[in-house]
Amino acid sequence: MKAGVSRKLPLDCLKILQPHFESVEIYEKGRPLDEMELAQAIKDKDVFICQLTEPINERVLSHANRLKHLATFSTGVDHLDLKALKTRGVKVSHTPGVLTEATANLAWALILNCGRRVNEAREFLKQGKFNGFFPSLFLGLSFERSTLGIVGMGKIGQAVAKRAQCFGMRVVYFSRRHFPVDGATQVGFEELLKESDVVSLHCPLTPQTRHLFNQENLSKMKPTAILINTARGPIIDETALVEHLKKNPDFQAGLDVFEKEPQVAQGLLDLPNALSVPHIGSASRWAREEMARICIEEAMRFARGENLQYEYPL
Ligand code: DGY
């Protein structure tokens, strides 16, 4: 069997995979592969390890004549045409579980940063504007008197809710299913928008959640609310968000993901009320190594003819 890996992983996958495959190719270009490169890379492979930046669509799959197992270095699978993969009989594995705490921690890093206006205050200091303690300088959120609204109460949403207890926040959540999470109340979407001081997104990107945060829903939120996105960029209509942030200077956004990654909507990075980081939610050393380990072990399991342990049901 032949294996391909679209980017260098945080473990030496060449060394680990080589004894198990006829050949292993790693296509590190210092950037995600484009569609043509992806099609070329996947062409003669039985097993392929891809990234969330690489849409595996019909066009790419039409070149993948031998492909039998696709391992994605991600939990999210919105970059994969699951229907086309199923039709072609390709097994899919992903990396759930290991990035829960890392992503919840980044969501909280953004919540705390925006809530206490750390980034704005740092800029102010850097610009030499600090002329002494002032009673109303950079007033921020009183966490213990505030409500956190979580959209999507899967593992990451629950980990974010758990941390909110340390800050004495009231927690409400919107989810299709009920989750018995200590101190968190399930509410309707409208109620969550109206009552939350902080809204943190932890739902997958689906046709139902694409642009869930559009102009209409953004305007239902408190004018002083903080919107956090460590899930997927297109859940927010980014152009509408930029407009909303411009019109409502007390509204804030903390973003780890963007609608058209790696592009960022025009004007977003210049806004003082938006704090943006480059998709680093799962970027703790342990989490990223575990994601690599899962991809590599799944590839080896497949090569040995064993059942996959992290198979995504198609
Ligand atoms: C995932 O795995 O889906 C994450 O977005 C990576 O951080």
Side-chain angles (χ1 to χ4, degrees):
M1 276 192 200
K2 293 185 176 184
V5 186
S6 70
R7 295 213 72 169
K8 209 165 158 229
L9 302 182
L11 290 178
D12 190 349
C13 54
L14 191 62
K15 195 167 145 204
I16 309 173
L17 287 176
Q18 252 168 355
H20 300 262
F21 288 88
E22 183 189 329
S23 69
V24 180
E25 279 184 78
I26 299 177
Y27 300 87
E28 178 54 64
K29 290 200 180 291
R31 56 164 172 79
L33 298 184
D34 66 27
E35 197 174 291
M36 285 287 281
E37 292 166 339
L38 203 50
Q40 279 306 312
I42 215 165
K43 206 162 134 189
D44 57 345
K45 305 299 181 302
D46 303 276
V47 173
F48 196 78
I49 300 179
C50 72
Q51 299 286 322
L52 58 86
T53 43
E54 294 150 356
I56 307 289
N57 53 30
E58 262 298 357
R59 287 186 299 276
V60 170
L61 286 172
S62 67
H63 297 262
N65 300 325
R66 291 174 58 147
L67 190 68
K68 294 175 204 75
H69 171 214
L70 181 69
T72 180
F73 183 84
S74 63
T75 297
V77 292
D78 48 281
H79 55 302
L80 310 179
D81 184 336
L82 298 174
K83 216 168 128 204
L85 284 157
K86 185 178 178 181
T87 308
R88 287 166 184 273
V90 179
K91 283 188 187 300
V92 172
S93 63
H94 65 147
T95 64
V98 293
L99 42 74
T100 304
E101 308 301 326
T103 309
N105 287 341
L106 188 83
W108 266 96
L110 294 171
I111 295 171
L112 288 169
N113 239 293
C114 292
R116 293 304 307 273
R117 305 174 63 186
V118 176
N119 206 36
E120 283 174 85
R122 180 172 176 267
E123 279 307 307
F124 176 87
L125 194 60
K126 266 171 68 182
Q127 287 166 13
K129 292 180 179 166
F130 183 44
N131 58 10
F133 173 83
F134 183 63
S136 53
L137 187 63
F138 290 113
L139 299 183
L141 192 71
S142 302
F143 288 89
E144 69 289 355
R145 283 158 218 281
S146 304
T147 298
L148 169 67
I150 296 178
V151 178
M153 201 54 150
K155 283 193 188 127
I156 301 175
Q158 291 177 38
V160 169
K162 197 166 123 196
R163 284 155 177 74
Q165 291 188 351
C166 305
F167 293 92
M169 289 184 92
R170 172 179 172 241
V171 179
V172 296
Y173 70 93
F174 171 71
S175 191
R176 279 178 305 162
R177 279 173 46 206
H178 174 73
F179 291 91
V181 178
D182 261 2
T185 311
Q186 188 172 19
V187 294
F189 186 58
E190 300 281 320
E191 191 177 338
L192 180 138
L193 291 181
K194 204 168 126 227
E195 293 194 3
S196 301
D197 300 285
V198 179
V199 172
S200 195
L201 309 184
H202 301 290
C203 52
L205 174 64
T206 63
Q208 290 74 37
T209 62
R210 184 175 290 273
H211 281 196
L212 183 61
F213 283 77
N214 53 16
Q215 191 200 1
E216 191 189 340
N217 286 332
L218 287 169
S219 66
K220 291 178 187 161
M221 295 173 70
K222 293 187 180 182
T224 52
I226 298 169
L227 178 60
I228 302 295
N229 192 4
T230 54
R232 282 293 181 267
I235 300 170
I236 300 178
D237 176 344
E238 216 168 274
T239 312
L241 177 65
V242 170
E243 281 316 300
H244 193 75
L245 287 162
K246 281 184 185 161
K247 282 193 202 135
N248 299 275
D250 292 331
F251 188 97
Q252 295 190 69
L255 307 171
D256 179 42
V257 288
F258 305 92
E259 192 173 346
K260 296 187 179 127
E261 272 179 47
Q263 288 166 43
V264 175
Q266 203 174 357
L268 183 67
L269 298 180
D270 300 325
L271 293 170
N273 47 345
L275 172 59
S276 303
V277 293
H279 205 146
I280 54 168
S282 60
S284 78
R285 289 187 192 91
W286 182 84
R288 289 279 168 92
E289 279 184 14
E290 280 299 285
M291 290 165 76
R293 183 188 60 75
I294 290 175
C295 290
I296 292 169
E297 286 184 0
E298 287 293 75
M300 295 193 307
R301 270 185 205 109
F302 187 83
R304 290 194 295 257
E306 295 170 11
N307 286 337
L308 299 178
Q309 273 183 19
Y310 295 86
E311 185 166 354
Y312 188 87
L314 296 178

